[in-house]
Amino acid sequence: MARRRGGRRTRTGWRARILAALLLVVLAGGIWLRWDLRHWQPAESAFPDQGVEIEADDGTVNFRTLRALGASFAYLDASDGAQGQDRALSDNLAAARAAGLQVGAVHRFDPCAMADGQSANFVTMVPRDPLLLPPAIELARTAGDCAERVSDAAVESELMTLINQIEMHAGKPVILKIDPGFEDRYHLAGMLDRNLWLTRTRFEPTYAGRPWLLWTANTALHTQASDQPLRWVVARP
């Protein structure tokens, strides 16, 4: 009987060791995956044209470091709705160009605001410069948060007006930076004949139902260029 109890203890001990080893493997895998996601960039061999998006709350950014990391372009947040503005735009634009990056501007569409006020805000912030990349309009917020009800038809109408106004100022077709939630709500990617900018970390996005021109491949890339994680973007070859 004593030998049997000892055998059970031995088997129990081995099971505990195996479980502990498996837990260590899972823990190590989780740590590696977190590190990989924080630092992952698509291979330059597959996507030679890579860049970054800089938002208003990213703070100080070293564009020369971004250039050394492989960025060839930068999109800078310029305006938000009818009133929001990134006051660092002018300095960031000059610094990015000094580092040898091509630069474009981003406007964040507000479905609660009229197009005229939004385009006026964009024009105030972004110069008419033929060297700028095509402007991008970010479509992320839906009308569900508006103080008053805004119909889907009104959202689409104001967006089309805004597109036309920004294109008239820039002299180039806009790029539509469509968030998955916005597309799920309004299904505009297939209706608007503009190049698309989609978002999905690590895996190519397909939610728009047609090919993208720009892809935010990592929404929180940690680099030495900024204290804040940045959005790493690639262009379709």
Side-chain angles (χ1 to χ4, degrees):
M1 294 295 292
R3 284 196 297 270
R4 289 179 184 175
R5 286 196 295 271
R8 291 194 190 98
R9 285 197 295 270
T10 300
R11 289 194 295 272
T12 301
W14 275 108
R15 291 193 190 102
R17 292 189 186 97
I18 291 172
L19 286 174
L22 289 174
L23 286 173
L24 285 174
V25 169
V26 171
L27 180 61
I31 293 173
W32 177 86
L33 180 61
R34 184 170 182 269
W35 183 93
D36 184 61
L37 288 176
R38 286 162 59 100
H39 298 88
W40 180 80
Q41 298 171 234
E44 288 189 21
S45 58
F47 300 99
D49 198 9
Q50 305 198 14
V52 66
E53 181 191 6
I54 305 299
E55 294 185 352
D57 56 356
D58 283 335
T60 302
V61 177
N62 189 321
F63 289 95
R64 294 190 183 278
T65 300
L66 288 174
R67 179 66 171 164
L69 290 171
S72 61
F73 65 88
Y75 266 91
L76 312 175
D77 275 13
S79 51
D80 186 340
Q83 296 182 333
Q85 298 178 340
D86 183 1
R87 293 300 180 181
L89 175 65
S90 180
D91 290 340
N92 283 340
L93 176 59
R97 281 180 162 171
L101 302 179
Q102 291 184 289
V103 184
V106 179
H107 173 80
R108 292 184 175 183
F109 175 66
D110 182 358
C112 309
M114 301 295 289
D116 288 348
Q118 297 194 59
S119 62
N121 191 24
F122 179 84
V123 168
T124 299
M125 295 298 296
V126 181
R128 181 180 279 120
D129 185 342
L131 296 180
L132 286 174
L133 295 171
I137 299 178
E138 179 179 285
L139 305 175
R141 283 173 290 191
T142 67
D145 295 328
C146 297
E148 298 181 3
R149 182 181 179 277
V150 180
S151 68
D152 291 0
V155 170
E156 183 179 348
S157 176
E158 291 302 315
L159 176 58
M160 281 305 307
T161 300
L162 178 64
I163 289 172
N164 292 331
Q165 291 171 336
I166 289 181
E167 288 180 343
M168 185 176 298
H169 173 73
K172 300 173 183 178
V174 302
I175 298 172
L176 299 179
K177 184 176 184 287
I178 302 182
D179 182 81
F182 189 94
E183 175 60 17
D184 185 60
R185 176 67 180 82
Y186 296 108
H187 306 289
L188 293 179
M191 299 170 58
L192 301 177
D193 186 20
R194 298 296 189 280
N195 284 322
L196 300 180
W197 177 349
L198 305 181
T199 299
R200 187 185 182 191
T201 294
R202 199 173 183 90
F203 300 101
E204 289 193 43
T206 59
Y207 58 86
R210 63 183 179 92
W212 47 267
L213 174 66
L214 297 176
W215 164 33
T216 300
N218 194 333
T219 58
L221 180 68
H222 288 69
T223 73
Q224 295 178 338
S226 173
D227 292 335
Q228 302 297 324
L230 304 176
R231 290 138 301 282
W232 197 256
V233 185
V234 300
R236 182 174 292 280

